[in-house]
Amino acid sequence: MKNNNTEDSQLIEKAKAGNMEALNFLMTKYYPRVYSSLYSYTKSKEDSEDLAQTTFIKAWKALDSFRGDSAFFTWLYRIAINLAKNHFQSSSYKKQKLNISEDERLYESEDPQNIETELLHEDALRSINKFIKTLPENLRTSFVLREVEGKSYEDIALITGTPIGTVRSRIFRARETILKFINEGMLNG
Amino acid sequence: MDKYDEIISSLYDGELDNDQTEKAMGLLKDHKDLSKRVAMYGVISAAAKLEQANVVDINAKKSYKNKVLWLSNGLTAAASVLLTVFFINQPDFSRLGVDRDSQDLINLAISSPEAQKIANLKEDTLVNHVLNLVNNDSNLIDQQPIDLRNVGFNLTDKSRRVYSNGEHNFIMQVEKKKFNLKKIRYWKHGNKDIYLVPLKDGRTLTLYGNLDRSTVQEIVKNIK
């Protein structure tokens, strides 16, 4: 079974060897989850962006030390947590930020720089999550097994009794359907 | 273009072999808009994983109102458990501060499933214990009630662990698990506080609720 540790192993090895495309891919893939998790802690768009960026710079510099004992995201997240903790502990800014009022947080979260960042705030993520539940059953099953359970295509094929090619196609179609919802239902709605 | 998109979807899932991965990387280089798609897949992943957070805010938990006042017949000074609080490196209770490192871990863990995993690794049993309390998942412990009437608190439920004086409500229990604490540990979550107090016999006393430190000090002195 392919697990999260091996999911990115090829790209990680390429990135370690200096392949910038592979590195960019990994950063692009994980930025939303790192940012989203940091935002849920800091409630600040600006802090989350800064911390996420610093996380990836640190990760890039320390990539050789990643041995694959944990999932790549877990490793990234550990860096992000430590940065967030240090950031808040090292200055009086921490108290001001943690005590910031809800109104101020809402104000701060306006004016997103890009669509992804806008979508990474909780309400938007909840809308997408809700939409996922409305996907046709065959698409939803494969998609959830992959995204939530972390199953490999091979495992999903065994579980659902369908060929791997069908699993691949269903997961792709699920993503396309969700993207369509985001583009038409959220960004233009 | 759909074919390219499907390849990127498989690359995203790490489901391509080495040659296919090389080709997919080439596609990404040649078609910059495909990177945008990867970013959007990342957003979808973040949304799909939202519900992995099976922790809930303690503020959403039930209040202690409408609990039937319960007093055990056996709740006498003689029947109460004799506990000795073990103060080491904590001579001055009034200087007790929030346990900052664990506090941050717990705050993070409450807000994120990923952080919860990390927190669990960091201070395994201790953080788990606090998270269980926060989530109201803590195992009910069959314990002899501890008499706190002389400090104004009565037991308010049959689990023999919820106390109230009308103003302050809290859970108090002696843990079976060994935490090997050398000093009192203290965390905050919302308007509630969590205190873990080492006992002389190596066990740990948990207090959790809307308790200020002076009240805890009074309680701890009482059961000394």
Side-chain angles (χ1 to χ4, degrees):
Chain A
M1 173 188 160
K2 187 173 280 191
N3 58 33
N4 283 330
N5 294 25
T6 58
E7 172 184 321
D8 300 305
S9 56
Q10 279 192 60
L11 290 169
I12 290 164
E13 287 312 309
K14 286 180 193 301
K16 279 182 178 178
N19 184 326
M20 293 307 286
E21 291 294 328
L23 184 69
N24 281 338
F25 183 89
L26 287 168
M27 301 308 169
T28 309
K29 175 179 179 178
Y30 287 113
Y31 181 88
R33 284 175 66 195
V34 169
Y35 173 91
S36 167
S37 302
L38 285 168
Y39 184 81
S40 71
Y41 179 53
T42 66
K43 303 296 181 195
S44 159
K45 174 180 168 286
E46 192 182 46
D47 285 344
S48 305
E49 281 178 354
D50 288 348
L51 288 167
Q53 196 172 13
T54 313
T55 298
F56 286 114
I57 292 168
K58 272 193 92 122
W60 174 48
K61 287 181 177 171
L63 194 59
D64 281 339
S65 69
F66 177 71
R67 298 191 308 273
D69 298 335
S70 62
F72 187 61
F73 180 74
T74 306
W75 183 71
L76 279 178
Y77 204 87
R78 192 172 289 133
I79 295 171
I81 281 180
N82 287 333
L83 283 171
K85 280 174 61 185
N86 292 341
H87 174 70
F88 284 122
Q89 281 178 355
S90 63
S91 68
S92 56
Y93 177 73
K94 175 182 181 180
K95 281 182 183 171
Q96 293 166 16
K97 274 295 179 188
L98 289 180
N99 293 332
I100 198 166
S101 74
E102 194 61 32
D103 286 347
E104 285 170 298
R105 285 175 188 170
L106 288 172
Y107 177 77
E108 194 178 17
S109 66
E110 287 174 358
D111 190 26
Q113 285 180 336
N114 57 54
I115 291 167
E116 292 83 19
T117 305
E118 185 179 13
L119 288 168
L120 284 167
H121 296 149
E122 195 167 327
D123 287 348
L125 289 179
R126 291 213 178 281
S127 295
I128 299 169
N129 186 281
K130 205 171 162 187
F131 178 77
I132 290 168
K133 294 189 174 82
T134 70
L135 287 171
E137 193 272 334
N138 59 348
L139 299 189
R140 191 175 70 244
T141 301
S142 296
F143 177 78
V144 169
L145 283 170
R146 170 64 226 157
E147 284 284 11
V148 182
E149 304 291 326
K151 302 284 186 198
S152 68
Y153 287 5
E154 190 181 352
D155 286 339
I156 298 169
L158 284 171
I159 292 165
T160 58
T162 49
I164 286 186
T166 306
V167 170
R168 186 186 305 275
S169 167
R170 282 177 179 172
I171 291 170
F172 169 65
R173 279 164 49 213
R175 286 188 173 127
E176 290 304 296
T177 310
I178 299 164
L179 279 182
K180 195 175 173 196
F181 163 74
I182 293 169
N183 288 327
E184 294 176 3
M186 294 177 72
L187 299 178
N188 298 326
Chain B
M1 195 65 180
D2 255 18
K3 190 65 188 168
Y4 291 168
D5 294 341
E6 187 169 337
I7 290 168
I8 297 306
S9 173
S10 298
L11 176 68
Y12 184 87
D13 290 332
E15 291 282 350
L16 298 181
D17 63 29
N18 199 39
D19 286 348
Q20 291 170 325
T21 300
E22 285 291 341
K23 283 178 190 165
M25 300 308 295
L27 284 176
L28 279 170
K29 206 172 181 176
D30 296 339
H31 302 274
K32 294 295 175 196
D33 53 325
L34 288 176
S35 288
K36 186 87 176 167
R37 189 163 289 267
V38 175
M40 291 305 284
Y41 285 172
V43 172
I44 292 171
S45 289
K49 288 174 172 67
L50 262 188
E51 287 178 356
Q52 280 183 311
N54 56 358
V55 285
V56 291
D57 194 307
I58 57 168
N59 296 324
K61 287 291 172 189
K62 60 184 180 286
S63 72
Y64 296 113
K65 286 176 186 170
N66 304 322
K67 293 267 185 184
V68 179
L69 186 69
W70 177 85
L71 283 171
S72 163
N73 289 333
L75 190 64
T76 64
S80 66
V81 179
L82 184 64
L83 299 168
T84 308
V85 181
F86 191 35
F87 286 101
I88 297 178
N89 299 330
Q90 198 70 58
D92 183 359
F93 195 90
S94 65
R95 289 166 65 188
L96 179 64
V98 171
D99 211 321
R100 183 55 66 189
D101 274 0
S102 303
Q103 174 77 67
D104 286 346
L105 279 171
I106 289 158
N107 285 345
L108 281 164
I110 287 161
S111 60
S112 156
E114 282 80 17
Q116 189 180 4
K117 285 182 195 164
I118 305 291
N120 288 348
L121 291 173
K122 183 87 183 238
E123 273 204 76
D124 204 2
T125 51
L126 202 57
V127 172
N128 267 331
H129 174 62
V130 175
L131 282 173
N132 285 338
L133 275 171
V134 166
N135 284 309
N136 207 14
D137 290 336
S138 151
N139 290 327
L140 289 180
I141 291 167
D142 186 20
Q143 64 177 24
Q144 289 295 311
I146 300 162
D147 191 352
L148 294 180
R149 285 178 298 175
N150 60 343
V151 282
F153 287 92
N154 288 318
L155 277 167
T156 62
D157 78 341
K158 289 182 181 176
S159 69
R160 301 181 182 195
R161 58 175 202 154
V162 181
Y163 292 80
S164 178
N165 67 352
E167 184 186 357
H168 298 289
N169 306 295
F170 66 94
I171 290 169
M172 183 165 82
Q173 63 185 29
V174 180
E175 305 300 335
K176 284 181 179 170
K177 207 176 275 181
K178 298 274 183 186
F179 293 103
N180 298 318
L181 296 185
K182 298 282 186 269
K183 60 179 182 179
I184 296 171
R185 306 284 294 264
Y186 162 53
W187 298 269
K188 286 187 83 68
H189 179 60
N191 62 349
K192 297 194 179 183
D193 303 277
I194 302 160
Y195 297 84
L196 296 189
V197 183
L199 305 176
K200 196 172 185 180
D201 61 5
R203 292 184 300 168
T204 300
L205 183 73
T206 297
L207 294 112
Y208 169 50
N210 62 337
L211 279 166
D212 55 46
R213 276 180 286 177
S214 60
T215 308
V216 173
Q217 190 171 13
E218 213 177 325
I219 292 167
V220 166
K221 273 182 185 166
N222 176 68
I223 60 174
K224 203 170 182 179

